[in-house]
Amino acid sequence: KVVKNKAYFKRFQVKYRRRREGKTDYFARKRLIVQNKNKYNTPKYRLIVRFTNTNIIAQVAYATIQGDKVVCDARSSELPRYGIKTGLTNYPASYAVGLLLARRLNQKYGLDETYKGVEEVSGEDYYVEKEGERGAFYCVLDTGLDIPHSNKRFPGYDTENGEYNAGSHRSRIVGEHITNYMQSLMDEDEEAYKRQFTTYRKEGIMPDMIEDMYIKAHEAIRADPSPAAKKEQPEGYKPKSFKKHRMSLQQRKGRVAQQKAAFLALQ
């Protein structure tokens, strides 16, 4: 039996803030960021993917004592530049964000011409091996990055016979499941179609246009993965601040005087 007495509470140590908030699994994080001792100060890069209600955020980062450093970043909010105006959190958008991140990272290090990756989506595993050097740069994404993974996590994997169907995965990447669902709703329930695909209708996207939209977006991303130029702010621009500004001594005294006067007026 654990007795939580004064001695226990005097020695109690609270957990890390992000553990208390339920945001970071430190057991998993330790295994992701700890580098081999014989590699000294070599960064250990990791791929981070976060899904929000309206956005997909993908980053390549590495850990330091001062905090994590982000090497490259891509978001689904950038996809309208490449022709994907809606459906920014679905599976085809996830693939597009991953493609954008990887091509942007290759471009940053001047490797985009060396490792061009898959020119057309097939769903198959893709590996790159530099000539003369065995296994120098394996690629398991369609771009030239080596990410440890398993086909068991992908659509198209059959758990019963243990086989991976690349064609089924490719159909997901180009949005065939969205096309089929849209078409079935249009045929069976017009009201449900109008309710669920409002933004598609606003953009004039019909079921037979979806696959071409994603394929063209992939081509556009490969052609120019660089981030959009930052808008120059006009002179005297002040960013919005929602922080409550601290009152000066004179303001505090004035506020107390007002409260006193208001209280006395009620007597």
Side-chain angles (χ1 to χ4, degrees):
K1 183 180 177 181
V2 178
V3 179
K4 293 186 177 179
N5 52 20
K6 184 178 178 181
Y8 169 85
F9 286 110
K10 280 177 72 174
R11 289 160 178 77
F12 181 77
Q13 185 176 9
V14 297
K15 297 187 186 301
Y16 291 143
R17 177 180 57 81
R18 289 184 64 88
R19 171 63 190 87
R20 298 197 305 270
E21 293 172 353
K23 290 182 177 179
T24 299
D25 179 355
Y26 282 97
F27 185 87
R29 177 178 167 81
K30 180 185 175 184
R31 283 146 186 81
L32 283 169
I33 69 172
V34 171
Q35 182 63 286
N36 293 341
K37 291 291 179 70
N38 62 353
K39 293 184 179 178
Y40 301 100
N41 204 27
T42 306
K44 187 170 185 177
Y45 300 101
R46 69 187 194 277
L47 176 65
I48 304 164
V49 182
R50 296 282 183 268
F51 284 77
T52 71
N53 287 341
T54 57
N55 205 4
I56 301 170
I57 304 163
Q59 298 173 326
V60 172
Y62 63 95
T64 67
I65 293 174
Q66 291 77 23
D68 286 4
K69 306 290 184 184
V70 176
V71 179
C72 191
D73 175 279
R75 295 160 189 257
S76 63
S77 55
E78 300 177 65
L79 296 181
R81 283 176 56 208
Y82 300 101
I84 302 174
K85 301 290 177 71
T86 186
L88 301 182
T89 54
N90 57 24
Y91 195 85
S94 305
Y95 180 88
V97 172
L99 180 66
L100 177 60
L101 174 74
R103 292 304 299 165
R104 185 173 288 172
L105 186 63
N106 282 346
Q107 186 186 59
K108 180 176 180 176
Y109 290 111
L111 297 171
D112 51 330
E113 292 299 323
T114 308
Y115 301 104
K116 293 190 176 181
V118 172
E119 297 292 335
E120 190 175 336
V121 179
S122 63
E124 296 280 359
D125 265 358
Y126 174 69
Y127 298 92
V128 171
E129 200 166 299
K130 190 176 177 183
E131 292 182 12
E133 292 184 30
R134 184 181 175 190
F137 203 92
Y138 275 105
C139 171
V140 293
L141 294 180
D142 287 351
T143 48
L145 296 187
D146 179 14
I147 310 293
H149 77 294
S150 170
N151 287 341
K152 293 179 181 180
R153 302 299 300 273
F154 294 152
Y157 181 80
D158 191 338
T159 53
E160 291 184 2
N161 56 27
E163 292 181 359
Y164 168 65
N165 184 352
S168 178
H169 191 191
R170 192 241 178 219
S171 69
R172 280 272 176 159
I173 290 169
V174 296
E176 282 185 21
H177 60 297
I178 301 171
T179 302
N180 296 337
Y181 185 53
M182 281 180 76
Q183 194 63 57
S184 67
L185 282 185
M186 289 174 75
D187 297 340
E188 297 167 13
D189 191 344
E190 187 73 20
E191 289 300 317
Y193 166 71
K194 289 179 180 178
R195 186 172 60 250
Q196 288 186 244
F197 290 96
T198 307
T199 52
Y200 284 80
R201 289 172 59 237
K202 280 182 183 176
E203 297 293 340
I205 301 170
M206 300 303 289
D208 56 346
M209 300 164 62
I210 289 176
E211 184 172 342
D212 288 338
M213 177 180 75
Y214 287 115
I215 290 173
K216 286 178 182 176
H218 297 164
E219 291 172 358
I221 288 169
R222 288 189 180 95
D224 181 22
S226 56
K230 290 185 179 179
K231 293 180 182 177
E232 290 187 7
Q233 300 295 351
E235 281 188 36
Y237 169 79
K238 289 185 179 180
K240 284 185 180 178
S241 175
F242 300 97
K243 186 170 67 174
K244 191 174 180 181
H245 293 288
R246 188 173 180 180
M247 295 169 69
S248 66
L249 178 62
Q250 190 176 359
Q251 288 173 325
R252 292 200 300 274
K253 285 182 176 179
R255 182 167 171 268
V256 170
Q258 285 177 351
Q259 289 175 336
K260 279 183 179 179
F263 177 76
L264 293 172
L266 295 172
Q267 299 303 314

PDB file of all heavy atoms in Angstrom, residues 66-86:
ATOM      1  N   GLN A  66      18.632  22.477 -27.410  1.00  0.00           N
ATOM      2  CA  GLN A  66      17.886  23.734 -27.335  1.00  0.00           C
ATOM      3  C   GLN A  66      16.438  23.566 -27.806  1.00  0.00           C
ATOM      4  O   GLN A  66      15.574  24.361 -27.486  1.00  0.00           O
ATOM      5  CB  GLN A  66      18.555  24.814 -28.204  1.00  0.00           C
ATOM      6  CG  GLN A  66      19.882  25.310 -27.690  1.00  0.00           C
ATOM      7  CD  GLN A  66      21.017  24.336 -27.969  1.00  0.00           C
ATOM      8  OE1 GLN A  66      20.924  23.513 -28.881  1.00  0.00           O
ATOM      9  NE2 GLN A  66      22.082  24.428 -27.177  1.00  0.00           N
ATOM     10  N   GLY A  67      16.168  22.506 -28.569  1.00  0.00           N
ATOM     11  CA  GLY A  67      14.821  22.287 -29.109  1.00  0.00           C
ATOM     12  C   GLY A  67      14.906  21.696 -30.501  1.00  0.00           C
ATOM     13  O   GLY A  67      15.994  21.591 -31.081  1.00  0.00           O
ATOM     14  N   ASP A  68      13.775  21.306 -31.051  1.00  0.00           N
ATOM     15  CA  ASP A  68      13.751  20.717 -32.392  1.00  0.00           C
ATOM     16  C   ASP A  68      13.982  21.785 -33.459  1.00  0.00           C
ATOM     17  O   ASP A  68      13.466  22.901 -33.350  1.00  0.00           O
ATOM     18  CB  ASP A  68      12.412  20.022 -32.648  1.00  0.00           C
ATOM     19  CG  ASP A  68      12.293  18.714 -31.885  1.00  0.00           C
ATOM     20  OD1 ASP A  68      13.220  18.408 -31.114  1.00  0.00           O
ATOM     21  OD2 ASP A  68      11.292  18.010 -32.055  1.00  0.00           O
ATOM     22  N   LYS A  69      14.740  21.429 -34.495  1.00  0.00           N
ATOM     23  CA  LYS A  69      14.989  22.315 -35.634  1.00  0.00           C
ATOM     24  C   LYS A  69      14.281  21.736 -36.859  1.00  0.00           C
ATOM     25  O   LYS A  69      14.493  20.563 -37.192  1.00  0.00           O
ATOM     26  CB  LYS A  69      16.491  22.430 -35.922  1.00  0.00           C
ATOM     27  CG  LYS A  69      17.339  22.855 -34.729  1.00  0.00           C
ATOM     28  CD  LYS A  69      17.106  24.293 -34.340  1.00  0.00           C
ATOM     29  CE  LYS A  69      18.043  24.717 -33.207  1.00  0.00           C
ATOM     30  NZ  LYS A  69      17.765  26.092 -32.757  1.00  0.00           N
ATOM     31  N   VAL A  70      13.467  22.534 -37.510  1.00  0.00           N
ATOM     32  CA  VAL A  70      12.732  22.101 -38.698  1.00  0.00           C
ATOM     33  C   VAL A  70      13.579  22.401 -39.933  1.00  0.00           C
ATOM     34  O   VAL A  70      13.997  23.542 -40.151  1.00  0.00           O
ATOM     35  CB  VAL A  70      11.360  22.798 -38.799  1.00  0.00           C
ATOM     36  CG1 VAL A  70      10.652  22.412 -40.088  1.00  0.00           C
ATOM     37  CG2 VAL A  70      10.498  22.432 -37.602  1.00  0.00           C
ATOM     38  N   VAL A  71      13.840  21.368 -40.726  1.00  0.00           N
ATOM     39  CA  VAL A  71      14.655  21.505 -41.931  1.00  0.00           C
ATOM     40  C   VAL A  71      13.785  21.921 -43.109  1.00  0.00           C
ATOM     41  O   VAL A  71      14.162  22.756 -43.926  1.00  0.00           O
ATOM     42  CB  VAL A  71      15.372  20.174 -42.258  1.00  0.00           C
ATOM     43  CG1 VAL A  71      16.201  20.296 -43.526  1.00  0.00           C
ATOM     44  CG2 VAL A  71      16.239  19.749 -41.085  1.00  0.00           C
ATOM     45  N   CYS A  72      12.598  21.323 -43.200  1.00  0.00           N
ATOM     46  CA  CYS A  72      11.710  21.599 -44.336  1.00  0.00           C
ATOM     47  C   CYS A  72      10.269  21.413 -43.878  1.00  0.00           C
ATOM     48  O   CYS A  72       9.986  20.597 -43.003  1.00  0.00           O
ATOM     49  CB  CYS A  72      12.041  20.661 -45.492  1.00  0.00           C
ATOM     50  SG  CYS A  72      11.231  21.115 -47.029  1.00  0.00           S
ATOM     51  N   ASP A  73       9.375  22.173 -44.518  1.00  0.00           N
ATOM     52  CA  ASP A  73       7.972  22.176 -44.091  1.00  0.00           C
ATOM     53  C   ASP A  73       7.072  22.265 -45.317  1.00  0.00           C
ATOM     54  O   ASP A  73       7.389  22.974 -46.277  1.00  0.00           O
ATOM     55  CB  ASP A  73       7.751  23.380 -43.166  1.00  0.00           C
ATOM     56  CG  ASP A  73       6.300  23.550 -42.760  1.00  0.00           C
ATOM     57  OD1 ASP A  73       5.513  24.104 -43.543  1.00  0.00           O
ATOM     58  OD2 ASP A  73       5.952  23.128 -41.657  1.00  0.00           O
ATOM     59  N   ALA A  74       5.953  21.516 -45.300  1.00  0.00           N
ATOM     60  CA  ALA A  74       4.948  21.615 -46.368  1.00  0.00           C
ATOM     61  C   ALA A  74       3.573  21.421 -45.749  1.00  0.00           C
ATOM     62  O   ALA A  74       3.418  20.649 -44.793  1.00  0.00           O
ATOM     63  CB  ALA A  74       5.198  20.573 -47.451  1.00  0.00           C
ATOM     64  N   ARG A  75       2.578  22.112 -46.310  1.00  0.00           N
ATOM     65  CA  ARG A  75       1.220  22.061 -45.762  1.00  0.00           C
ATOM     66  C   ARG A  75       0.206  21.945 -46.889  1.00  0.00           C
ATOM     67  O   ARG A  75       0.439  22.424 -48.003  1.00  0.00           O
ATOM     68  CB  ARG A  75       0.929  23.327 -44.941  1.00  0.00           C
ATOM     69  CG  ARG A  75       1.806  23.440 -43.719  1.00  0.00           C
ATOM     70  CD  ARG A  75       1.885  24.854 -43.177  1.00  0.00           C
ATOM     71  NE  ARG A  75       2.927  24.908 -42.141  1.00  0.00           N
ATOM     72  CZ  ARG A  75       2.682  24.928 -40.840  1.00  0.00           C
ATOM     73  NH1 ARG A  75       1.436  24.913 -40.398  1.00  0.00           N
ATOM     74  NH2 ARG A  75       3.663  24.961 -39.967  1.00  0.00           N
ATOM     75  N   SER A  76      -0.930  21.334 -46.545  1.00  0.00           N
ATOM     76  CA  SER A  76      -1.971  21.180 -47.569  1.00  0.00           C
ATOM     77  C   SER A  76      -2.613  22.519 -47.926  1.00  0.00           C
ATOM     78  O   SER A  76      -3.260  22.641 -48.963  1.00  0.00           O
ATOM     79  CB  SER A  76      -3.037  20.185 -47.118  1.00  0.00           C
ATOM     80  OG  SER A  76      -3.695  20.651 -45.960  1.00  0.00           O
ATOM     81  N   SER A  77      -2.424  23.547 -47.088  1.00  0.00           N
ATOM     82  CA  SER A  77      -2.939  24.876 -47.421  1.00  0.00           C
ATOM     83  C   SER A  77      -2.206  25.471 -48.628  1.00  0.00           C
ATOM     84  O   SER A  77      -2.666  26.458 -49.213  1.00  0.00           O
ATOM     85  CB  SER A  77      -2.806  25.811 -46.220  1.00  0.00           C
ATOM     86  OG  SER A  77      -1.475  25.856 -45.760  1.00  0.00           O
ATOM     87  N   GLU A  78      -1.067  24.870 -49.022  1.00  0.00           N
ATOM     88  CA  GLU A  78      -0.332  25.320 -50.208  1.00  0.00           C
ATOM     89  C   GLU A  78      -0.847  24.671 -51.497  1.00  0.00           C
ATOM     90  O   GLU A  78      -0.506  25.111 -52.591  1.00  0.00           O
ATOM     91  CB  GLU A  78       1.160  24.996 -50.066  1.00  0.00           C
ATOM     92  CG  GLU A  78       1.842  25.649 -48.880  1.00  0.00           C
ATOM     93  CD  GLU A  78       3.292  25.219 -48.774  1.00  0.00           C
ATOM     94  OE1 GLU A  78       4.076  25.544 -49.678  1.00  0.00           O
ATOM     95  OE2 GLU A  78       3.646  24.535 -47.787  1.00  0.00           O
ATOM     96  N   LEU A  79      -1.651  23.621 -51.371  1.00  0.00           N
ATOM     97  CA  LEU A  79      -2.072  22.855 -52.552  1.00  0.00           C
ATOM     98  C   LEU A  79      -2.921  23.634 -53.552  1.00  0.00           C
ATOM     99  O   LEU A  79      -2.881  23.326 -54.746  1.00  0.00           O
ATOM    100  CB  LEU A  79      -2.800  21.573 -52.116  1.00  0.00           C
ATOM    101  CG  LEU A  79      -1.944  20.559 -51.347  1.00  0.00           C
ATOM    102  CD1 LEU A  79      -2.767  19.329 -51.003  1.00  0.00           C
ATOM    103  CD2 LEU A  79      -0.715  20.159 -52.146  1.00  0.00           C
ATOM    104  N   PRO A  80      -3.743  24.632 -53.124  1.00  0.00           N
ATOM    105  CA  PRO A  80      -4.474  25.407 -54.136  1.00  0.00           C
ATOM    106  C   PRO A  80      -3.573  26.042 -55.199  1.00  0.00           C
ATOM    107  O   PRO A  80      -4.010  26.251 -56.326  1.00  0.00           O
ATOM    108  CB  PRO A  80      -5.187  26.475 -53.290  1.00  0.00           C
ATOM    109  CG  PRO A  80      -5.439  25.796 -51.986  1.00  0.00           C
ATOM    110  CD  PRO A  80      -4.216  24.932 -51.758  1.00  0.00           C
ATOM    111  N   ARG A  81      -2.305  26.326 -54.843  1.00  0.00           N
ATOM    112  CA  ARG A  81      -1.346  26.839 -55.838  1.00  0.00           C
ATOM    113  C   ARG A  81      -1.133  25.852 -56.977  1.00  0.00           C
ATOM    114  O   ARG A  81      -0.799  26.238 -58.101  1.00  0.00           O
ATOM    115  CB  ARG A  81       0.019  27.089 -55.188  1.00  0.00           C
ATOM    116  CG  ARG A  81       0.126  28.332 -54.355  1.00  0.00           C
ATOM    117  CD  ARG A  81       1.488  28.385 -53.698  1.00  0.00           C
ATOM    118  NE  ARG A  81       2.576  28.316 -54.651  1.00  0.00           N
ATOM    119  CZ  ARG A  81       3.792  27.818 -54.385  1.00  0.00           C
ATOM    120  NH1 ARG A  81       4.066  27.331 -53.192  1.00  0.00           N
ATOM    121  NH2 ARG A  81       4.726  27.802 -55.307  1.00  0.00           N
ATOM    122  N   TYR A  82      -1.299  24.559 -56.668  1.00  0.00           N
ATOM    123  CA  TYR A  82      -1.028  23.503 -57.649  1.00  0.00           C
ATOM    124  C   TYR A  82      -2.307  22.920 -58.253  1.00  0.00           C
ATOM    125  O   TYR A  82      -2.249  21.902 -58.938  1.00  0.00           O
ATOM    126  CB  TYR A  82      -0.203  22.396 -56.987  1.00  0.00           C
ATOM    127  CG  TYR A  82       1.125  22.893 -56.468  1.00  0.00           C
ATOM    128  CD1 TYR A  82       1.298  23.175 -55.107  1.00  0.00           C
ATOM    129  CD2 TYR A  82       2.189  23.120 -57.317  1.00  0.00           C
ATOM    130  CE1 TYR A  82       2.502  23.646 -54.624  1.00  0.00           C
ATOM    131  CE2 TYR A  82       3.405  23.595 -56.845  1.00  0.00           C
ATOM    132  CZ  TYR A  82       3.553  23.854 -55.502  1.00  0.00           C
ATOM    133  OH  TYR A  82       4.760  24.333 -55.036  1.00  0.00           O
ATOM    134  N   GLY A  83      -3.445  23.545 -57.978  1.00  0.00           N
ATOM    135  CA  GLY A  83      -4.682  23.125 -58.638  1.00  0.00           C
ATOM    136  C   GLY A  83      -5.620  22.287 -57.794  1.00  0.00           C
ATOM    137  O   GLY A  83      -6.695  21.915 -58.253  1.00  0.00           O
ATOM    138  N   ILE A  84      -5.223  21.967 -56.536  1.00  0.00           N
ATOM    139  CA  ILE A  84      -6.123  21.211 -55.649  1.00  0.00           C
ATOM    140  C   ILE A  84      -6.801  22.232 -54.750  1.00  0.00           C
ATOM    141  O   ILE A  84      -6.243  22.664 -53.744  1.00  0.00           O
ATOM    142  CB  ILE A  84      -5.344  20.165 -54.830  1.00  0.00           C
ATOM    143  CG1 ILE A  84      -4.596  19.206 -55.748  1.00  0.00           C
ATOM    144  CG2 ILE A  84      -6.276  19.386 -53.914  1.00  0.00           C
ATOM    145  CD1 ILE A  84      -3.681  18.231 -55.033  1.00  0.00           C
ATOM    146  N   LYS A  85      -8.026  22.610 -55.107  1.00  0.00           N
ATOM    147  CA  LYS A  85      -8.707  23.706 -54.417  1.00  0.00           C
ATOM    148  C   LYS A  85      -9.501  23.247 -53.197  1.00  0.00           C
ATOM    149  O   LYS A  85      -9.826  24.045 -52.328  1.00  0.00           O
ATOM    150  CB  LYS A  85      -9.658  24.417 -55.396  1.00  0.00           C
ATOM    151  CG  LYS A  85      -8.976  25.001 -56.621  1.00  0.00           C
ATOM    152  CD  LYS A  85      -8.122  26.184 -56.254  1.00  0.00           C
ATOM    153  CE  LYS A  85      -7.379  26.739 -57.460  1.00  0.00           C
ATOM    154  NZ  LYS A  85      -8.230  27.408 -58.414  1.00  0.00           N
ATOM    155  N   THR A  86      -9.854  21.975 -53.137  1.00  0.00           N
ATOM    156  CA  THR A  86     -10.696  21.498 -52.043  1.00  0.00           C
ATOM    157  C   THR A  86     -10.308  20.073 -51.662  1.00  0.00           C
ATOM    158  O   THR A  86      -9.515  19.434 -52.357  1.00  0.00           O
ATOM    159  CB  THR A  86     -12.186  21.564 -52.442  1.00  0.00           C
ATOM    160  OG1 THR A  86     -13.003  21.244 -51.340  1.00  0.00           O
ATOM    161  CG2 THR A  86     -12.476  20.621 -53.595  1.00  0.00           C
TER     162      THR A  86
END
